[in-house]
Amino acid sequence: VILTSQKQITFNFSSNLSNATFLCSLDGAAATECSSPKTYTNLGDGAHTFSVRAKSSSGVIDTNAKTHSWTVDSASPLILTATTTATTTTISVVWTTNEPADSEVLYGLTTAYGQTSGVSAALVTSRTVILNGLQANTLYHYQVRSRDAAGNLSASGDFTFATAAPLPVIGIWSSAAEL
């Protein structure tokens, strides 16, 4: 089954009979006379099936309808939760969506972001993205993004996280003469 985010579809069809007419049906509705191309608009989300039959000039209707099935998914995935855990140079960003989708984090020192984790194409509902090589003791902006199998993109608002300050290093020296 084909998955699409498009709510409009056009079908082209023909017959080997020069004066054939056609009967079209969408989603099991009663067939009505139609011509090629046939366009359907404002399709709802969900499964759809188009069928077409040729009808000869003498009224004989083809017994083998040609069909095409597809699913419309126009809804973007919902980002349900997003949490972070930071160290001095690394952050772990975890989020969930209501449907399987890919994963990407945009991040940077401003809301222009400028850096990306890259897209993980795995379609999952729960994901963890780890960002490495960050500056210690720094405030970052980030946005999580997920795209479903139909191509619908969802992006969170702007969030911030701060990396931890480095721990102080303490050194002790002594000379043997002072002991």
Side-chain angles (χ1 to χ4, degrees):
V1 174
I2 297 169
L3 183 63
T4 181
S5 62
Q6 301 300 311
K7 292 184 158 272
Q8 176 176 315
I9 194 165
T10 299
F11 295 99
N12 292 290
F13 41 89
S14 61
S15 172
N16 61 338
L17 301 176
S18 59
N19 11 348
T21 57
F22 299 95
L23 298 170
C24 294
S25 172
L26 180 65
D27 299 334
T32 59
E33 293 218 3
C34 62
S35 58
S36 181
K38 176 65 176 167
T39 299
Y40 293 97
T41 60
N42 299 319
L43 294 167
D45 280 10
H48 296 281
T49 300
F50 168 77
S51 66
V52 61
R53 294 177 189 266
K55 181 178 173 183
S56 71
S57 58
S58 62
V60 176
I61 298 173
D62 183 4
T63 57
N64 296 317
K66 302 301 180 207
T67 63
H68 177 79
S69 296
W70 74 103
T71 299
V72 175
D73 173 6
S74 65
S76 296
L78 297 175
I79 295 172
L80 303 174
T81 61
T83 60
T84 59
T85 304
T87 67
T88 55
T89 60
T90 302
I91 184 159
S92 174
V93 183
V94 178
W95 75 98
T96 59
T97 53
N98 68 324
E99 66 175 304
D102 68 12
S103 313
E104 180 183 24
V105 177
L106 304 180
Y107 66 101
L109 300 177
T110 69
T111 56
Y113 307 117
Q115 295 180 300
T116 177
S117 64
V119 176
S120 171
L123 300 178
V124 296
T125 57
S126 180
R127 76 261 313 133
T128 300
V129 175
I130 298 173
L131 306 175
N132 295 304
L134 303 173
Q135 299 173 28
N137 200 30
T138 303
L139 179 70
Y140 284 87
H141 291 264
Y142 76 100
Q143 178 185 69
V144 298
R145 297 165 48 119
S146 290
R147 186 181 309 271
D148 66 15
N152 301 303
L153 176 66
S154 185
S156 71
D158 178 62
F159 296 114
T160 60
F161 66 86
T163 51
L167 296 174
V169 176
I170 301 172
I172 297 179
W173 303 240
S174 76
S175 78
E178 296 175 8
L179 294 176

